[in-house]
Amino acid sequence: MHDRTGDVLDISANSLAGLLDAAHEPILVRDLEGRILFWNQGCEALYGHGREVARGALAPDLLSTVFPAPLDQITARLLAEGRWEGEVTRRLADGREAVIALRWSLRRDVSGGVEVLETGRDVTEARKAEEALRRSEYRFRNVFHAMSVSFWELDFSALAGMFGALRAKGVTSLRAHIAENPRFVRQMMEASQVVDVNDKSLQLFEATREQLLGPVDRFWPPCSEHVFAASVIAALEKKPHYESEARFRTYDGREFDGLFTCCYPREYLPQGATLVGVIDITDRLRAQEDLARVQAELAHAARISTLGELTASIAHEVNQPLSAIVTNGEAGLRWLRRATPDLEEVGRAFDRMIGEANRASGVIGRIRTMAVKGEPEKARLSLGPLVEDSVLLVRRELTTHDVALRVQVPADLPEVEGDRVQLQQVLVNLMVNAAQAMAEAQERVLTIRGSVDEAMVTLSVADTGPGVPPERLVQLFNAFYTTKAGGMGMGLSICKTIVQAHGGEIAVVSAPGEGASFVLKLPRAGVAQEAD
Ligand code: ADP
């Protein structure tokens, strides 16, 4: 045996075998047919077979070896080149499969025959890890390219320098710095680079890959700057991801609505890289707008139909001041036509006439707002006056049905935020339903109560009618559910839509024989904003 310098080492065959046996590496010697001649401790440790089993056995059989190519070809190479290297799969004594990296070399034995010296290395775990990595990389690439979401890989490493400069100037809060220097957001965008995009991005942003690569600011219109700023702050605060709706701009400048998602994988962040997804939600927003418009139209149609039901009430509310005007006019004329006209009394009659006329026009004004179709408006509303206005529309209806009304709404109830006409519509609906439900009842009392509980203001409209059987409770708010001969079954369904659009909820509570109570919960104005 020669070392690298070519000196002959004087090692006897025996002591060589001893050395090889003690080596940790699995070393095997076999003849050309595969019969095992030498099996060291390393082999025992790796394959699990003792040397008494291994010696004399055929290596491919003992180890159920699966070669990467037909064995003849491998052997031919070994004979031609004197060596072979490759990976095989072998079965261990305990039945497990292992991937072994083999090195074979030919050597002549003492009698001139040919032997194969094999060293092996267990690479099972390394191959498994590589495979897992390959799969995960494949999955990632697949998702990156095949999903119908526009994906961007961003390099924002330049931001680190900008933040460093800010810190050096004594800035401790990026949020506060942005509030004072809104331009900084645009500068951050200019410094953030798009380094890769998937095919969907080309389609969504109407550009080629080359056009999309580069500074990201070109795709963010000014109205979305706050979203970009919030996503950077989320990354700095070590949030795992960030999501928001935002406006985007295509390469040619057309704007569209998108859902922007950003994730900050820990292993990416130190390299200043992140993955951003944009989903086009133009259609979704358009559908939402259409739905809102149809709902508003339906609510309006229902209001008109309610007003139709309340014609008698409304006529009464208008007639009363009109008769009062006539009475006062007549009285005024009488004072005027006296031998000595009493102008002071005439003046008083005029004052009363004006007061009544104002009352009538007030009633008409309220009805007009209910009848006119307008965009829902958001305003701060006190529930007391809202209840009063609604009662005015149904007062006559209640009197006709001989219903006693009790209103217990504290004057200091917190305000809610919403559309006056729509909320009034809800109350009118609940009151008309209650009056109709009590038509046959012995005792007819309608109670409206107001209360507050932390973030929600509650209004309940309770009657002493027959109540709602438990099995019908869930159906009540379904569209077209009605038990009335001429009913449409839309009233409560529309009430629910309106209340939910105000961020609230409506439910009915009814114990058998104790009437029904519709409970309306609406968020206090300003509470949601303060909680943010
Ligand atoms: P409609 O009044 O056209 O029937 P609604 O949606 O307003 O439509 O009401 C649906 C159904 O709910 C009514 O037909 C009635 O059976 C039931 N309902 C509503 N309010 C009450 C109430 N206060 N007491 C008992 N049942 C009620």
Side-chain angles (χ1 to χ4, degrees), residues 318-332 349-350 352-357 359-360:
V318 181
N319 254 341
Q320 253 191 348
L322 286 183
S323 343
I325 290 170
V326 173
T327 313
N328 282 299
E330 286 168 352
F350 272 24
R352 281 195 297 271
M353 282 162 72
I354 293 168
E356 292 296 338
R359 207 178 114 198

Short mmCIF file of all heavy atoms in Angstrom, two decimals, residues 318-332 349-350 352-357 359-360:
data_model
loop_
_atom_site.label_atom_id
_atom_site.label_comp_id
_atom_site.label_asym_id
_atom_site.label_seq_id
_atom_site.Cartn_x
_atom_site.Cartn_y
_atom_site.Cartn_z
N VAL A 318 -102.57 64.55 9.61
CA VAL A 318 -102.59 65.78 8.82
C VAL A 318 -103.93 66.50 8.99
O VAL A 318 -104.01 67.72 9.06
CB VAL A 318 -102.35 65.47 7.32
CG1 VAL A 318 -102.33 66.75 6.50
CG2 VAL A 318 -101.03 64.73 7.15
N ASN A 319 -104.98 65.70 9.12
CA ASN A 319 -106.32 66.28 9.24
C ASN A 319 -106.50 67.07 10.50
O ASN A 319 -107.16 68.11 10.50
CB ASN A 319 -107.37 65.15 9.23
CG ASN A 319 -108.07 65.14 7.90
OD1 ASN A 319 -108.02 66.15 7.17
ND2 ASN A 319 -108.71 64.04 7.57
N GLN A 320 -105.94 66.55 11.58
CA GLN A 320 -106.11 67.22 12.87
C GLN A 320 -105.68 68.67 12.82
O GLN A 320 -106.48 69.56 13.12
CB GLN A 320 -105.33 66.47 13.92
CG GLN A 320 -106.22 65.71 14.83
CD GLN A 320 -105.45 65.18 16.02
OE1 GLN A 320 -104.22 65.19 16.03
NE2 GLN A 320 -106.17 64.72 17.00
N PRO A 321 -104.43 68.96 12.40
CA PRO A 321 -104.07 70.39 12.32
C PRO A 321 -104.91 71.16 11.31
O PRO A 321 -105.22 72.33 11.52
CB PRO A 321 -102.60 70.37 11.90
CG PRO A 321 -102.25 68.98 11.59
CD PRO A 321 -103.30 68.09 12.14
N LEU A 322 -105.33 70.47 10.22
CA LEU A 322 -106.15 71.19 9.22
C LEU A 322 -107.47 71.63 9.83
O LEU A 322 -107.91 72.78 9.65
CB LEU A 322 -106.41 70.30 7.99
CG LEU A 322 -105.22 70.10 7.05
CD1 LEU A 322 -105.64 69.27 5.85
CD2 LEU A 322 -104.68 71.46 6.58
N SER A 323 -108.14 70.74 10.59
CA SER A 323 -109.41 71.14 11.21
C SER A 323 -109.15 72.26 12.21
O SER A 323 -109.96 73.19 12.35
CB SER A 323 -110.12 70.00 11.94
OG SER A 323 -109.64 68.80 11.56
N ALA A 324 -107.99 72.15 12.93
CA ALA A 324 -107.69 73.20 13.90
C ALA A 324 -107.51 74.54 13.19
O ALA A 324 -107.93 75.59 13.69
CB ALA A 324 -106.43 72.83 14.68
N ILE A 325 -106.93 74.52 11.98
CA ILE A 325 -106.74 75.76 11.22
C ILE A 325 -108.11 76.35 10.85
O ILE A 325 -108.37 77.55 11.03
CB ILE A 325 -105.89 75.50 9.96
CG1 ILE A 325 -104.44 75.19 10.35
CG2 ILE A 325 -105.93 76.69 9.01
CD1 ILE A 325 -103.58 74.68 9.22
N VAL A 326 -109.00 75.46 10.39
CA VAL A 326 -110.35 75.92 10.01
C VAL A 326 -111.05 76.54 11.22
O VAL A 326 -111.58 77.67 11.17
CB VAL A 326 -111.17 74.74 9.43
CG1 VAL A 326 -112.63 75.16 9.20
CG2 VAL A 326 -110.54 74.26 8.15
N THR A 327 -111.02 75.83 12.34
CA THR A 327 -111.69 76.32 13.56
C THR A 327 -111.14 77.70 13.95
O THR A 327 -111.88 78.64 14.23
CB THR A 327 -111.46 75.32 14.72
OG1 THR A 327 -111.72 74.03 14.23
CG2 THR A 327 -112.35 75.65 15.91
N ASN A 328 -109.78 77.80 13.93
CA ASN A 328 -109.17 79.07 14.33
C ASN A 328 -109.47 80.17 13.32
O ASN A 328 -109.64 81.33 13.69
CB ASN A 328 -107.67 78.91 14.50
CG ASN A 328 -107.33 78.25 15.82
OD1 ASN A 328 -107.65 78.77 16.88
ND2 ASN A 328 -106.73 77.07 15.76
N GLY A 329 -109.55 79.80 12.05
CA GLY A 329 -109.88 80.78 11.00
C GLY A 329 -111.28 81.35 11.22
O GLY A 329 -111.49 82.56 11.15
N GLU A 330 -112.19 80.42 11.52
CA GLU A 330 -113.57 80.87 11.74
C GLU A 330 -113.66 81.78 12.96
O GLU A 330 -114.31 82.85 12.93
CB GLU A 330 -114.48 79.65 11.94
CG GLU A 330 -114.75 78.92 10.62
CD GLU A 330 -115.41 77.56 10.83
OE1 GLU A 330 -115.52 77.12 12.01
OE2 GLU A 330 -115.78 76.94 9.83
N ALA A 331 -112.93 81.35 14.02
CA ALA A 331 -112.95 82.17 15.23
C ALA A 331 -112.38 83.55 14.93
O ALA A 331 -112.94 84.59 15.33
CB ALA A 331 -112.16 81.48 16.34
N GLY A 332 -111.31 83.60 14.19
CA GLY A 332 -110.66 84.87 13.83
C GLY A 332 -111.61 85.77 13.06
O GLY A 332 -111.72 86.97 13.36
N ALA A 349 -105.68 84.10 17.02
CA ALA A 349 -106.20 83.04 16.12
C ALA A 349 -105.19 82.78 14.99
O ALA A 349 -104.91 81.63 14.63
CB ALA A 349 -107.55 83.45 15.54
N PHE A 350 -104.65 83.90 14.48
CA PHE A 350 -103.63 83.74 13.42
C PHE A 350 -102.43 82.93 13.92
O PHE A 350 -101.93 82.04 13.25
CB PHE A 350 -103.16 85.13 12.94
CG PHE A 350 -104.01 85.70 11.83
CD1 PHE A 350 -105.33 85.29 11.66
CD2 PHE A 350 -103.49 86.66 10.97
CE1 PHE A 350 -106.10 85.83 10.65
CE2 PHE A 350 -104.26 87.19 9.95
CZ PHE A 350 -105.59 86.78 9.77
N ARG A 352 -102.30 80.74 16.26
CA ARG A 352 -102.65 79.31 16.38
C ARG A 352 -102.70 78.65 15.01
O ARG A 352 -102.28 77.52 14.85
CB ARG A 352 -104.00 79.17 17.11
CG ARG A 352 -103.86 79.34 18.63
CD ARG A 352 -105.10 78.84 19.33
NE ARG A 352 -106.29 79.60 18.97
CZ ARG A 352 -106.70 80.71 19.60
NH1 ARG A 352 -106.03 81.18 20.64
NH2 ARG A 352 -107.79 81.35 19.21
N MET A 353 -103.25 79.41 14.03
CA MET A 353 -103.31 78.85 12.68
C MET A 353 -101.92 78.52 12.14
O MET A 353 -101.66 77.46 11.57
CB MET A 353 -104.02 79.83 11.72
CG MET A 353 -105.52 79.82 11.88
SD MET A 353 -106.28 81.28 11.17
CE MET A 353 -106.09 80.96 9.45
N ILE A 354 -101.01 79.50 12.37
CA ILE A 354 -99.63 79.26 11.89
C ILE A 354 -99.03 78.04 12.59
O ILE A 354 -98.41 77.16 11.96
CB ILE A 354 -98.75 80.52 12.12
CG1 ILE A 354 -99.26 81.65 11.22
CG2 ILE A 354 -97.28 80.24 11.85
CD1 ILE A 354 -98.68 83.01 11.53
N GLY A 355 -99.23 77.94 13.91
CA GLY A 355 -98.69 76.81 14.67
C GLY A 355 -99.20 75.48 14.12
O GLY A 355 -98.43 74.54 13.89
N GLU A 356 -100.51 75.42 13.86
CA GLU A 356 -101.10 74.17 13.36
C GLU A 356 -100.59 73.85 11.95
O GLU A 356 -100.35 72.69 11.62
CB GLU A 356 -102.64 74.27 13.34
CG GLU A 356 -103.29 74.34 14.73
CD GLU A 356 -103.06 73.08 15.56
OE1 GLU A 356 -102.78 72.01 14.97
OE2 GLU A 356 -103.12 73.16 16.80
N ALA A 357 -100.48 74.92 11.14
CA ALA A 357 -99.99 74.69 9.76
C ALA A 357 -98.58 74.13 9.80
O ALA A 357 -98.23 73.21 9.06
CB ALA A 357 -100.02 75.99 8.96
N ARG A 359 -97.34 72.35 12.20
CA ARG A 359 -97.44 70.96 12.66
C ARG A 359 -97.76 70.05 11.46
O ARG A 359 -97.14 69.02 11.27
CB ARG A 359 -98.55 70.86 13.71
CG ARG A 359 -98.31 69.73 14.68
CD ARG A 359 -99.40 69.71 15.71
NE ARG A 359 -100.19 68.49 15.56
CZ ARG A 359 -101.40 68.33 16.06
NH1 ARG A 359 -101.99 69.32 16.70
NH2 ARG A 359 -102.02 67.18 15.91
N ALA A 360 -98.74 70.49 10.67
CA ALA A 360 -99.14 69.68 9.50
C ALA A 360 -97.97 69.52 8.54
O ALA A 360 -97.69 68.41 8.06
CB ALA A 360 -100.32 70.32 8.78
#
